[in-house]
Amino acid sequence: MSFLPVEWAAEHSPVSDPYERLLLIALARRANSDGTDSYPSRNTLAKSGLCDKSTVTRRLGALEARGLIREGDQQAAWRIPEHLRPKVYDVLIPFSFYSPDQMEKVNQERVDRGLAPLRPEDRPDLGPAPEKKARADKGTKRPKRDTKDASKSTASEEGGASSTPGASNTPLGISTDSPEFAPGASSTRVLEALRGGASSTPNLSFNSVLSSSSAPPENAAVSGEAPETEKKKIDDTNTTDGLAVPSAAAVPEHQDEPDPADPGDELSSEVRRIVSAWSQARIAAGVGPHRRAGALEEFQASATALVKAGRSVEWLIAVARWMAAEKPAWAGLGEASKAQYAGAPAAPVARPVPRQPVNRCPSHPSLEAAGCRHCAADEIVDRQRRELDAQRGIDDESSLQLLAALIQRGQNPRSAVDRSRDAAARQAEEARRQSAKRAEYLAG
């Protein structure tokens, strides 16, 4: 790689947009000093040009159409497998870009690679970059936005002033032009306006508005205290933001629903004992019932599963008591039964049942004497051998003698000296036999 192609692509190349500039630099970085044999992949060009592969294809086509690049010698990428081989491009750097010394070095490199030196007609000067197209709406003014309509729509969406003419936003539809709502009016006058008349009660305050009725009483007196019926209505009903909320005195007392069937009725007596032991141990430890919802059901389910698996009930009771004292946050008995490392009671070890003595076969100790299949097979083989010996005229006595001789030979193996002596005797015998044959052949 040479820096000259990169310098030309970055500063002197006639490109029309930034994408072409970045792609041309990416090609020049991987080219020779004369701009030839550049073959980066489309993915590499897309990463260098900050664009997608379709943009790379379009921009390379535009550069090739304007004569900035062209397809080069495709054999330059012979090291890459054919199904993965990218297209090879030549960056057509003009001859006039190089200085005489630079061109001499470039041509020397081309000669070393077996190529002809560059000439001015091989790399003519390139034309200027095409002008950018102006926007279709250039020179036209943008339409002004109607700020009034936008503010009205925003106010209506946010729940601001009503868009209906003549509508009032004051509480209970009372006009703010009245002296009760004048600036600086006392809270007592505001309350009186809300209740529909002047009141001489000196103890009322503005906070009483939250507990007053949402509508003025029809039969309220002009002055003096309100009737007892109205007082009762005010006491029995509270208002919050215009919604009537019954007071605690007006709400009937809550009646407890009947408890559902106790799930413990479906448990076995063993599981009940375990659950009872766990509950009593928690009370004795001072932690009380488990606070997590569903903890009792989880304990009952785990205890039922362990009982059905055949675990000892007494051991499960001991584990439950330990869990209540040492691990009060636990609710599953299954995890506690595996926590011997934390100090939980160890599971009882079942003692193996002693086996009854079995009469073993003396020849085959791994099998019982009665019905030993190996002994039965040996008997069949012996019977077949005796039948065959009877057909050949071999009695058992001679067979026994031969067998005894073989056993004796196996018990008294020959030494290495005896074997070497026998081998020397066999070789001498063979030499005498060959000499006799030779003498017979010469005499004949």
Side-chain angles (χ1 to χ4, degrees):
M1 186 193 80
S2 175
F3 186 71
L4 293 176
V6 178
E7 180 185 358
W8 176 82
E11 298 182 5
H12 304 282
S13 58
V15 294
S16 60
D17 56 29
Y19 290 123
E20 291 185 357
R21 177 80 68 188
L22 292 174
L23 294 178
L24 199 61
I25 292 174
L27 289 172
R29 283 187 58 231
R30 296 162 177 83
N32 296 321
S33 58
D34 57 348
T36 59
D37 300 344
S38 177
Y39 46 91
S41 64
R42 295 298 173 96
N43 292 330
T44 303
L45 291 175
K47 185 177 180 181
S48 300
L50 305 177
C51 57
D52 54 9
K53 292 193 288 187
S54 60
T55 304
V56 170
T57 303
R58 292 195 301 270
R59 293 301 189 275
L60 289 180
L63 292 174
E64 189 173 359
R66 298 205 310 270
L68 274 74
I69 61 174
R70 70 183 177 191
E71 293 187 12
D73 184 12
Q74 303 302 316
Q75 295 300 322
W78 62 271
R79 298 180 180 84
I80 304 175
E82 187 174 358
H83 66 284
L84 300 175
R85 189 177 300 169
K87 186 180 292 186
V88 180
Y89 286 99
D90 291 346
V91 181
L92 302 180
I93 305 173
F95 186 89
S96 59
F97 170 75
Y98 298 98
S99 65
D101 295 338
Q102 293 172 350
M103 180 55 64
E104 183 179 357
K105 293 180 180 179
V106 168
N107 286 333
Q108 183 61 40
E109 292 178 2
R110 288 178 60 87
V111 170
D112 295 341
R113 289 188 285 124
L115 300 177
L118 286 178
R119 297 173 298 175
E121 55 269 17
D122 296 335
R123 297 287 182 87
D125 293 340
L126 300 174
E131 297 181 0
K132 295 185 64 176
K133 296 181 180 179
R135 291 178 51 178
D137 58 347
K138 184 177 181 180
T140 59
K141 295 183 178 180
R142 295 184 180 179
K144 294 183 178 180
R145 295 180 59 187
D146 192 354
T147 56
K148 295 183 180 180
D149 295 342
S151 62
K152 287 182 180 179
S153 62
T154 305
S156 61
E157 290 175 0
E158 295 178 355
S162 174
S163 60
T164 305
S168 174
N169 292 325
T170 57
L172 305 178
I174 301 175
S175 176
T176 57
D177 297 336
S178 60
E180 289 81 359
F181 288 92
S186 65
S187 60
T188 304
R189 297 178 63 183
V190 174
L191 176 62
E192 292 168 359
L194 290 173
R195 296 188 61 181
S199 175
S200 60
T201 306
N203 295 329
L204 293 177
S205 63
F206 191 77
N207 295 330
S208 303
V209 177
L210 297 178
S211 61
S212 63
S213 176
S214 60
E218 297 178 358
N219 300 326
V222 176
S223 62
E225 296 182 356
E228 295 182 359
T229 56
E230 300 300 333
K231 279 186 176 182
K232 189 175 181 180
K233 289 182 180 180
I234 294 173
D235 294 339
D236 292 345
T237 308
N238 295 329
T239 59
T240 303
D241 294 337
L243 298 177
V245 180
S247 63
V251 178
E253 295 183 359
H254 176 70
Q255 298 180 358
D256 295 335
E257 298 180 358
D259 295 335
D262 187 4
D265 297 341
E266 302 177 358
L267 303 177
S268 61
S269 58
E270 292 84 356
V271 177
R272 290 179 184 175
R273 289 175 55 195
I274 299 171
V275 174
S276 177
W278 181 56
S279 302
Q280 293 176 4
R282 290 185 65 89
I283 295 173
V287 294
H290 208 292
R291 298 181 180 179
R292 181 162 59 83
L296 180 59
E297 290 76 5
E298 181 181 352
F299 184 85
Q300 292 174 352
S302 60
T304 303
L306 291 173
V307 169
K308 289 183 179 180
R311 309 307 293 268
S312 173
V313 177
E314 301 299 331
W315 173 67
L316 292 177
I317 291 174
V319 172
R321 290 173 178 170
W322 170 85
M323 187 176 71
E326 301 295 335
K327 304 292 181 181
W330 290 8
L333 193 58
E335 294 298 328
S337 62
K338 303 175 184 178
Q340 280 78 22
Y341 64 89
V349 180
R351 295 182 179 180
V353 179
R355 297 183 179 181
Q356 298 294 333
V358 180
N359 186 16
R360 298 294 177 179
C361 176
S363 302
H364 310 94
S366 61
L367 301 175
E368 297 183 4
C372 179
R373 60 180 182 272
H374 294 302
C375 292
D378 292 342
E379 291 180 0
I380 294 174
V381 171
D382 291 342
R383 184 175 67 253
Q384 292 177 354
R385 183 182 60 78
R386 286 194 296 269
E387 292 175 357
L388 186 60
D389 289 347
Q391 293 176 2
R392 295 180 179 179
I394 302 175
D395 55 354
D396 292 340
E397 185 67 23
S398 59
S399 299
L400 291 175
Q401 292 178 359
L402 179 60
L403 182 60
L406 292 175
I407 293 174
Q408 183 68 22
R409 184 175 179 180
Q411 291 179 352
N412 299 321
R414 303 181 67 185
S415 62
V417 177
D418 295 338
R419 289 196 297 273
S420 61
R421 189 185 303 112
D422 293 344
R426 287 194 298 273
Q427 292 178 359
E429 182 65 24
E430 183 66 21
R432 285 193 297 271
R433 192 156 43 84
Q434 294 294 337
S435 298
K437 284 185 179 181
R438 190 180 301 105
E440 184 180 355
Y441 175 76
L442 295 175

